[in-house]
Amino acid sequence: MSTDAIVLLKEDHKEIRRLFKAFQDAEDGPASARGKIVTQILEALTVHTYLENEVMYPEVRKLVPDVEDDILESYEEHHVADVLCFELFTMDADDERYVAKTTVLIENVLHHVEEEEQEWFPKVREALGRNQLQEIGQRMLDLRPKAPTTPTEPKALKKSRDAVVA
């Protein structure tokens, strides 16, 4: 398994896309099935955004000044996703706005993923050497077991608070 930070984040993106497709396939099915998939989506997004916010973004911001604006925009996109994740976590799957809110979350995250993968990941790969990306990736792997898995955990709430206060 690669420890390259970009490879790891793209693997997360792939899993998140798979979960989004599963939700869309279950959209007309029972609320309980949608709810189970959304729980998985919330966990995947909570862990992923935590790792990016705690490791990838600060390191890239320091090492690759050319992507400063991209990083700041990504923090804000994470904040929007965090708010939607928190709201979905507190809702029942049969709430009339559950599917709509999940759809908005999916649209926002897909936009964010596209920008990362197409616009600033290539700049980061070009600017940082293989060893630096592997070191960043290893730090993300080391932190993953300690990452929050629900949007209501203190570590997850901290990153939302930081987005407002910072």
Side-chain angles (χ1 to χ4, degrees), residues 57-92:
Y57 291 178
E59 278 300 307
V60 169
R61 191 172 181 195
K62 182 173 55 180
L63 298 171
V64 189
D66 289 349
V67 296
E68 171 86 12
D69 290 342
D70 296 309
I71 298 289
L72 292 174
E73 183 179 332
S74 291
Y75 277 128
E76 296 308 316
E77 289 170 345
H78 279 193
H79 178 64
V80 170
D82 291 342
V83 170
L84 292 168
C85 286
F86 184 84
E87 291 175 358
L88 281 164
F89 187 80
T90 65
M91 294 172 75
D92 291 326

mmCIF file of all heavy atoms in Angstrom, residues 57-92:
data_model
loop_
_atom_site.group_PDB
_atom_site.id
_atom_site.type_symbol
_atom_site.label_atom_id
_atom_site.label_comp_id
_atom_site.label_asym_id
_atom_site.label_seq_id
_atom_site.Cartn_x
_atom_site.Cartn_y
_atom_site.Cartn_z
ATOM 1 N N TYR A 57 -3.598 19.790 4.577
ATOM 2 C CA TYR A 57 -3.742 21.212 4.268
ATOM 3 C C TYR A 57 -2.676 22.073 4.934
ATOM 4 O O TYR A 57 -2.060 22.917 4.276
ATOM 5 C CB TYR A 57 -5.140 21.713 4.611
ATOM 6 C CG TYR A 57 -6.244 21.182 3.720
ATOM 7 C CD1 TYR A 57 -7.551 21.527 3.960
ATOM 8 C CD2 TYR A 57 -5.994 20.337 2.642
ATOM 9 C CE1 TYR A 57 -8.586 21.065 3.155
ATOM 10 C CE2 TYR A 57 -7.011 19.859 1.844
ATOM 11 C CZ TYR A 57 -8.310 20.230 2.098
ATOM 12 O OH TYR A 57 -9.323 19.764 1.302
ATOM 13 N N PRO A 58 -2.420 21.907 6.244
ATOM 14 C CA PRO A 58 -1.382 22.750 6.855
ATOM 15 C C PRO A 58 0.004 22.541 6.226
ATOM 16 O O PRO A 58 0.743 23.507 6.014
ATOM 17 C CB PRO A 58 -1.379 22.324 8.329
ATOM 18 C CG PRO A 58 -2.686 21.660 8.559
ATOM 19 C CD PRO A 58 -3.104 21.077 7.246
ATOM 20 N N GLU A 59 0.335 21.280 5.924
ATOM 21 C CA GLU A 59 1.637 20.995 5.316
ATOM 22 C C GLU A 59 1.743 21.593 3.923
ATOM 23 O O GLU A 59 2.738 22.228 3.585
ATOM 24 C CB GLU A 59 1.889 19.481 5.251
ATOM 25 C CG GLU A 59 2.390 18.894 6.520
ATOM 26 C CD GLU A 59 3.713 19.508 6.970
ATOM 27 O OE1 GLU A 59 4.679 19.545 6.185
ATOM 28 O OE2 GLU A 59 3.769 19.949 8.130
ATOM 29 N N VAL A 60 0.722 21.388 3.119
ATOM 30 C CA VAL A 60 0.752 21.903 1.748
ATOM 31 C C VAL A 60 0.750 23.431 1.760
ATOM 32 O O VAL A 60 1.463 24.070 0.985
ATOM 33 C CB VAL A 60 -0.432 21.337 0.928
ATOM 34 C CG1 VAL A 60 -0.567 22.058 -0.401
ATOM 35 C CG2 VAL A 60 -0.231 19.843 0.703
ATOM 36 N N ARG A 61 -0.013 23.988 2.650
ATOM 37 C CA ARG A 61 -0.076 25.459 2.746
ATOM 38 C C ARG A 61 1.309 26.031 3.062
ATOM 39 O O ARG A 61 1.699 27.060 2.528
ATOM 40 C CB ARG A 61 -1.074 25.827 3.832
ATOM 41 C CG ARG A 61 -1.435 27.279 3.850
ATOM 42 C CD ARG A 61 -2.557 27.514 4.825
ATOM 43 N NE ARG A 61 -2.905 28.926 4.799
ATOM 44 C CZ ARG A 61 -3.624 29.524 5.711
ATOM 45 N NH1 ARG A 61 -4.112 28.832 6.729
ATOM 46 N NH2 ARG A 61 -3.880 30.796 5.623
ATOM 47 N N LYS A 62 2.049 25.334 3.913
ATOM 48 C CA LYS A 62 3.391 25.776 4.294
ATOM 49 C C LYS A 62 4.402 25.539 3.171
ATOM 50 O O LYS A 62 5.245 26.399 2.900
ATOM 51 C CB LYS A 62 3.807 25.018 5.561
ATOM 52 C CG LYS A 62 5.155 25.378 6.123
ATOM 53 C CD LYS A 62 5.400 24.699 7.471
ATOM 54 C CE LYS A 62 5.222 23.207 7.384
ATOM 55 N NZ LYS A 62 5.444 22.483 8.632
ATOM 56 N N LEU A 63 4.306 24.400 2.489
ATOM 57 C CA LEU A 63 5.323 23.996 1.523
ATOM 58 C C LEU A 63 5.064 24.461 0.092
ATOM 59 O O LEU A 63 5.998 24.528 -0.711
ATOM 60 C CB LEU A 63 5.466 22.466 1.534
ATOM 61 C CG LEU A 63 5.928 21.837 2.848
ATOM 62 C CD1 LEU A 63 5.804 20.323 2.784
ATOM 63 C CD2 LEU A 63 7.364 22.265 3.167
ATOM 64 N N VAL A 64 3.798 24.727 -0.248
ATOM 65 C CA VAL A 64 3.447 25.086 -1.627
ATOM 66 C C VAL A 64 2.591 26.361 -1.604
ATOM 67 O O VAL A 64 1.358 26.299 -1.719
ATOM 68 C CB VAL A 64 2.690 23.938 -2.343
ATOM 69 C CG1 VAL A 64 2.540 24.234 -3.836
ATOM 70 C CG2 VAL A 64 3.372 22.594 -2.135
ATOM 71 N N PRO A 65 3.222 27.522 -1.465
ATOM 72 C CA PRO A 65 2.462 28.775 -1.352
ATOM 73 C C PRO A 65 1.552 29.054 -2.552
ATOM 74 O O PRO A 65 0.553 29.768 -2.411
ATOM 75 C CB PRO A 65 3.551 29.849 -1.234
ATOM 76 C CG PRO A 65 4.816 29.145 -0.940
ATOM 77 C CD PRO A 65 4.657 27.715 -1.354
ATOM 78 N N ASP A 66 1.842 28.474 -3.698
ATOM 79 C CA ASP A 66 1.022 28.702 -4.898
ATOM 80 C C ASP A 66 -0.405 28.193 -4.757
ATOM 81 O O ASP A 66 -1.280 28.601 -5.521
ATOM 82 C CB ASP A 66 1.656 28.044 -6.129
ATOM 83 C CG ASP A 66 2.906 28.758 -6.594
ATOM 84 O OD1 ASP A 66 3.180 29.879 -6.100
ATOM 85 O OD2 ASP A 66 3.618 28.199 -7.451
ATOM 86 N N VAL A 67 -0.649 27.298 -3.812
ATOM 87 C CA VAL A 67 -2.003 26.761 -3.649
ATOM 88 C C VAL A 67 -2.710 27.315 -2.405
ATOM 89 O O VAL A 67 -3.729 26.777 -1.977
ATOM 90 C CB VAL A 67 -2.028 25.212 -3.662
ATOM 91 C CG1 VAL A 67 -1.568 24.662 -5.001
ATOM 92 C CG2 VAL A 67 -1.229 24.629 -2.524
ATOM 93 N N GLU A 68 -2.174 28.393 -1.854
ATOM 94 C CA GLU A 68 -2.767 29.022 -0.664
ATOM 95 C C GLU A 68 -4.261 29.284 -0.844
ATOM 96 O O GLU A 68 -5.075 28.927 0.016
ATOM 97 C CB GLU A 68 -2.037 30.337 -0.360
ATOM 98 C CG GLU A 68 -2.697 31.183 0.704
ATOM 99 C CD GLU A 68 -2.277 30.821 2.110
ATOM 100 O OE1 GLU A 68 -1.304 30.063 2.267
ATOM 101 O OE2 GLU A 68 -2.930 31.301 3.051
ATOM 102 N N ASP A 69 -4.656 29.905 -1.941
ATOM 103 C CA ASP A 69 -6.075 30.207 -2.170
ATOM 104 C C ASP A 69 -6.908 28.938 -2.281
ATOM 105 O O ASP A 69 -8.038 28.881 -1.795
ATOM 106 C CB ASP A 69 -6.260 31.072 -3.421
ATOM 107 C CG ASP A 69 -5.729 32.490 -3.227
ATOM 108 O OD1 ASP A 69 -5.542 32.924 -2.070
ATOM 109 O OD2 ASP A 69 -5.502 33.167 -4.265
ATOM 110 N N ASP A 70 -6.351 27.925 -2.915
ATOM 111 C CA ASP A 70 -7.058 26.640 -3.036
ATOM 112 C C ASP A 70 -7.286 26.012 -1.667
ATOM 113 O O ASP A 70 -8.362 25.471 -1.397
ATOM 114 C CB ASP A 70 -6.257 25.664 -3.920
ATOM 115 C CG ASP A 70 -6.117 26.137 -5.347
ATOM 116 O OD1 ASP A 70 -7.137 26.488 -5.955
ATOM 117 O OD2 ASP A 70 -4.976 26.162 -5.846
ATOM 118 N N ILE A 71 -6.276 26.082 -0.816
ATOM 119 C CA ILE A 71 -6.390 25.509 0.525
ATOM 120 C C ILE A 71 -7.447 26.256 1.330
ATOM 121 O O ILE A 71 -8.296 25.641 1.990
ATOM 122 C CB ILE A 71 -5.031 25.543 1.268
ATOM 123 C CG1 ILE A 71 -3.993 24.701 0.545
ATOM 124 C CG2 ILE A 71 -5.192 25.106 2.726
ATOM 125 C CD1 ILE A 71 -4.191 23.216 0.623
ATOM 126 N N LEU A 72 -7.421 27.572 1.269
ATOM 127 C CA LEU A 72 -8.421 28.362 2.005
ATOM 128 C C LEU A 72 -9.831 28.042 1.524
ATOM 129 O O LEU A 72 -10.759 27.899 2.329
ATOM 130 C CB LEU A 72 -8.117 29.858 1.878
ATOM 131 C CG LEU A 72 -6.841 30.320 2.582
ATOM 132 C CD1 LEU A 72 -6.562 31.781 2.261
ATOM 133 C CD2 LEU A 72 -6.926 30.096 4.085
ATOM 134 N N GLU A 73 -10.008 27.910 0.217
ATOM 135 C CA GLU A 73 -11.316 27.534 -0.323
ATOM 136 C C GLU A 73 -11.700 26.128 0.133
ATOM 137 O O GLU A 73 -12.864 25.879 0.491
ATOM 138 C CB GLU A 73 -11.298 27.602 -1.855
ATOM 139 C CG GLU A 73 -12.630 27.288 -2.484
ATOM 140 C CD GLU A 73 -12.611 27.378 -4.000
ATOM 141 O OE1 GLU A 73 -11.812 28.144 -4.566
ATOM 142 O OE2 GLU A 73 -13.417 26.653 -4.622
ATOM 143 N N SER A 74 -10.741 25.228 0.179
ATOM 144 C CA SER A 74 -11.018 23.860 0.622
ATOM 145 C C SER A 74 -11.456 23.819 2.077
ATOM 146 O O SER A 74 -12.368 23.065 2.433
ATOM 147 C CB SER A 74 -9.784 22.977 0.417
ATOM 148 O OG SER A 74 -9.542 22.767 -0.957
ATOM 149 N N TYR A 75 -10.826 24.623 2.922
ATOM 150 C CA TYR A 75 -11.267 24.707 4.317
ATOM 151 C C TYR A 75 -12.742 25.121 4.380
ATOM 152 O O TYR A 75 -13.521 24.580 5.169
ATOM 153 C CB TYR A 75 -10.429 25.723 5.106
ATOM 154 C CG TYR A 75 -9.115 25.216 5.638
ATOM 155 C CD1 TYR A 75 -7.936 25.916 5.382
ATOM 156 C CD2 TYR A 75 -9.029 24.080 6.436
ATOM 157 C CE1 TYR A 75 -6.714 25.484 5.896
ATOM 158 C CE2 TYR A 75 -7.817 23.638 6.950
ATOM 159 C CZ TYR A 75 -6.657 24.351 6.668
ATOM 160 O OH TYR A 75 -5.460 23.919 7.182
ATOM 161 N N GLU A 76 -13.123 26.089 3.571
ATOM 162 C CA GLU A 76 -14.507 26.566 3.580
ATOM 163 C C GLU A 76 -15.467 25.510 3.024
ATOM 164 O O GLU A 76 -16.576 25.341 3.524
ATOM 165 C CB GLU A 76 -14.639 27.883 2.810
ATOM 166 C CG GLU A 76 -13.871 29.029 3.448
ATOM 167 C CD GLU A 76 -14.185 29.223 4.926
ATOM 168 O OE1 GLU A 76 -15.380 29.167 5.313
ATOM 169 O OE2 GLU A 76 -13.238 29.428 5.717
ATOM 170 N N GLU A 77 -15.032 24.801 1.992
ATOM 171 C CA GLU A 77 -15.865 23.718 1.458
ATOM 172 C C GLU A 77 -16.041 22.619 2.508
ATOM 173 O O GLU A 77 -17.128 22.058 2.641
ATOM 174 C CB GLU A 77 -15.249 23.168 0.168
ATOM 175 C CG GLU A 77 -15.362 24.148 -0.983
ATOM 176 C CD GLU A 77 -14.567 23.758 -2.218
ATOM 177 O OE1 GLU A 77 -13.687 22.871 -2.137
ATOM 178 O OE2 GLU A 77 -14.822 24.355 -3.275
ATOM 179 N N HIS A 78 -14.995 22.336 3.254
ATOM 180 C CA HIS A 78 -15.111 21.360 4.346
ATOM 181 C C HIS A 78 -16.103 21.849 5.394
ATOM 182 O O HIS A 78 -16.891 21.061 5.921
ATOM 183 C CB HIS A 78 -13.757 21.132 5.019
ATOM 184 C CG HIS A 78 -12.871 20.186 4.292
ATOM 185 N ND1 HIS A 78 -11.746 19.654 4.855
ATOM 186 C CD2 HIS A 78 -12.924 19.671 3.041
ATOM 187 C CE1 HIS A 78 -11.149 18.844 3.993
ATOM 188 N NE2 HIS A 78 -11.848 18.847 2.878
ATOM 189 N N HIS A 79 -16.047 23.128 5.683
ATOM 190 C CA HIS A 79 -16.959 23.667 6.691
ATOM 191 C C HIS A 79 -18.419 23.475 6.261
ATOM 192 O O HIS A 79 -19.259 23.072 7.063
ATOM 193 C CB HIS A 79 -16.653 25.142 6.960
ATOM 194 C CG HIS A 79 -17.574 25.753 7.947
ATOM 195 N ND1 HIS A 79 -17.645 25.338 9.263
ATOM 196 C CD2 HIS A 79 -18.503 26.728 7.813
ATOM 197 C CE1 HIS A 79 -18.573 26.043 9.886
ATOM 198 N NE2 HIS A 79 -19.099 26.892 9.034
ATOM 199 N N VAL A 80 -18.716 23.753 5.010
ATOM 200 C CA VAL A 80 -20.081 23.551 4.500
ATOM 201 C C VAL A 80 -20.464 22.080 4.623
ATOM 202 O O VAL A 80 -21.561 21.750 5.082
ATOM 203 C CB VAL A 80 -20.200 24.040 3.036
ATOM 204 C CG1 VAL A 80 -21.517 23.615 2.411
ATOM 205 C CG2 VAL A 80 -20.031 25.556 2.970
ATOM 206 N N ALA A 81 -19.556 21.190 4.240
ATOM 207 C CA ALA A 81 -19.834 19.750 4.356
ATOM 208 C C ALA A 81 -20.014 19.348 5.820
ATOM 209 O O ALA A 81 -20.906 18.555 6.140
ATOM 210 C CB ALA A 81 -18.710 18.939 3.709
ATOM 211 N N ASP A 82 -19.203 19.921 6.708
ATOM 212 C CA ASP A 82 -19.327 19.607 8.138
ATOM 213 C C ASP A 82 -20.702 19.981 8.673
ATOM 214 O O ASP A 82 -21.313 19.223 9.432
ATOM 215 C CB ASP A 82 -18.267 20.348 8.958
ATOM 216 C CG ASP A 82 -16.852 19.849 8.727
ATOM 217 O OD1 ASP A 82 -16.694 18.723 8.216
ATOM 218 O OD2 ASP A 82 -15.918 20.595 9.067
ATOM 219 N N VAL A 83 -21.195 21.149 8.287
ATOM 220 C CA VAL A 83 -22.515 21.597 8.747
ATOM 221 C C VAL A 83 -23.591 20.638 8.245
ATOM 222 O O VAL A 83 -24.466 20.205 9.008
ATOM 223 C CB VAL A 83 -22.794 23.047 8.296
ATOM 224 C CG1 VAL A 83 -24.243 23.433 8.541
ATOM 225 C CG2 VAL A 83 -21.853 24.022 9.006
ATOM 226 N N LEU A 84 -23.527 20.272 6.976
ATOM 227 C CA LEU A 84 -24.510 19.339 6.420
ATOM 228 C C LEU A 84 -24.407 17.967 7.093
ATOM 229 O O LEU A 84 -25.429 17.344 7.396
ATOM 230 C CB LEU A 84 -24.328 19.215 4.905
ATOM 231 C CG LEU A 84 -24.682 20.457 4.094
ATOM 232 C CD1 LEU A 84 -24.181 20.320 2.659
ATOM 233 C CD2 LEU A 84 -26.178 20.724 4.121
ATOM 234 N N CYS A 85 -23.184 17.507 7.341
ATOM 235 C CA CYS A 85 -22.994 16.211 8.014
ATOM 236 C C CYS A 85 -23.591 16.244 9.419
ATOM 237 O O CYS A 85 -24.278 15.300 9.830
ATOM 238 C CB CYS A 85 -21.509 15.851 8.086
ATOM 239 S SG CYS A 85 -20.791 15.333 6.517
ATOM 240 N N PHE A 86 -23.333 17.314 10.140
ATOM 241 C CA PHE A 86 -23.873 17.441 11.490
ATOM 242 C C PHE A 86 -25.401 17.404 11.458
ATOM 243 O O PHE A 86 -26.037 16.706 12.244
ATOM 244 C CB PHE A 86 -23.380 18.736 12.150
ATOM 245 C CG PHE A 86 -23.832 18.883 13.569
ATOM 246 C CD1 PHE A 86 -23.122 18.278 14.597
ATOM 247 C CD2 PHE A 86 -24.969 19.600 13.884
ATOM 248 C CE1 PHE A 86 -23.542 18.386 15.920
ATOM 249 C CE2 PHE A 86 -25.399 19.721 15.201
ATOM 250 C CZ PHE A 86 -24.681 19.115 16.220
ATOM 251 N N GLU A 87 -25.989 18.152 10.527
ATOM 252 C CA GLU A 87 -27.455 18.182 10.422
ATOM 253 C C GLU A 87 -28.002 16.809 10.063
ATOM 254 O O GLU A 87 -28.987 16.352 10.651
ATOM 255 C CB GLU A 87 -27.886 19.230 9.397
ATOM 256 C CG GLU A 87 -27.622 20.657 9.868
ATOM 257 C CD GLU A 87 -27.921 21.706 8.817
ATOM 258 O OE1 GLU A 87 -28.311 21.355 7.677
ATOM 259 O OE2 GLU A 87 -27.767 22.899 9.137
ATOM 260 N N LEU A 88 -27.393 16.138 9.106
ATOM 261 C CA LEU A 88 -27.851 14.805 8.716
ATOM 262 C C LEU A 88 -27.722 13.814 9.873
ATOM 263 O O LEU A 88 -28.586 12.959 10.054
ATOM 264 C CB LEU A 88 -27.070 14.294 7.503
ATOM 265 C CG LEU A 88 -27.518 14.853 6.165
ATOM 266 C CD1 LEU A 88 -26.464 14.613 5.097
ATOM 267 C CD2 LEU A 88 -28.863 14.259 5.761
ATOM 268 N N PHE A 89 -26.662 13.934 10.649
ATOM 269 C CA PHE A 89 -26.439 13.042 11.781
ATOM 270 C C PHE A 89 -27.578 13.138 12.787
ATOM 271 O O PHE A 89 -27.934 12.149 13.431
ATOM 272 C CB PHE A 89 -25.097 13.366 12.446
ATOM 273 C CG PHE A 89 -24.700 12.397 13.512
ATOM 274 C CD1 PHE A 89 -24.129 11.181 13.180
ATOM 275 C CD2 PHE A 89 -24.890 12.698 14.856
ATOM 276 C CE1 PHE A 89 -23.753 10.281 14.169
ATOM 277 C CE2 PHE A 89 -24.522 11.803 15.846
ATOM 278 C CZ PHE A 89 -23.952 10.586 15.500
ATOM 279 N N THR A 90 -28.162 14.313 12.910
ATOM 280 C CA THR A 90 -29.217 14.528 13.903
ATOM 281 C C THR A 90 -30.619 14.256 13.354
ATOM 282 O O THR A 90 -31.583 14.300 14.113
ATOM 283 C CB THR A 90 -29.170 15.975 14.447
ATOM 284 O OG1 THR A 90 -29.472 16.891 13.390
ATOM 285 C CG2 THR A 90 -27.811 16.292 15.056
ATOM 286 N N MET A 91 -30.724 13.972 12.059
ATOM 287 C CA MET A 91 -32.033 13.769 11.426
ATOM 288 C C MET A 91 -32.402 12.289 11.361
ATOM 289 O O MET A 91 -31.538 11.421 11.360
ATOM 290 C CB MET A 91 -32.019 14.333 9.993
ATOM 291 C CG MET A 91 -31.858 15.830 9.909
ATOM 292 S SD MET A 91 -31.623 16.386 8.191
ATOM 293 C CE MET A 91 -33.296 16.214 7.567
ATOM 294 N N ASP A 92 -33.698 12.044 11.235
ATOM 295 C CA ASP A 92 -34.182 10.701 10.937
ATOM 296 C C ASP A 92 -34.169 10.512 9.428
ATOM 297 O O ASP A 92 -34.456 11.455 8.669
ATOM 298 C CB ASP A 92 -35.615 10.518 11.452
ATOM 299 C CG ASP A 92 -35.674 10.495 12.970
ATOM 300 O OD1 ASP A 92 -34.721 9.984 13.591
ATOM 301 O OD2 ASP A 92 -36.675 10.994 13.529
#
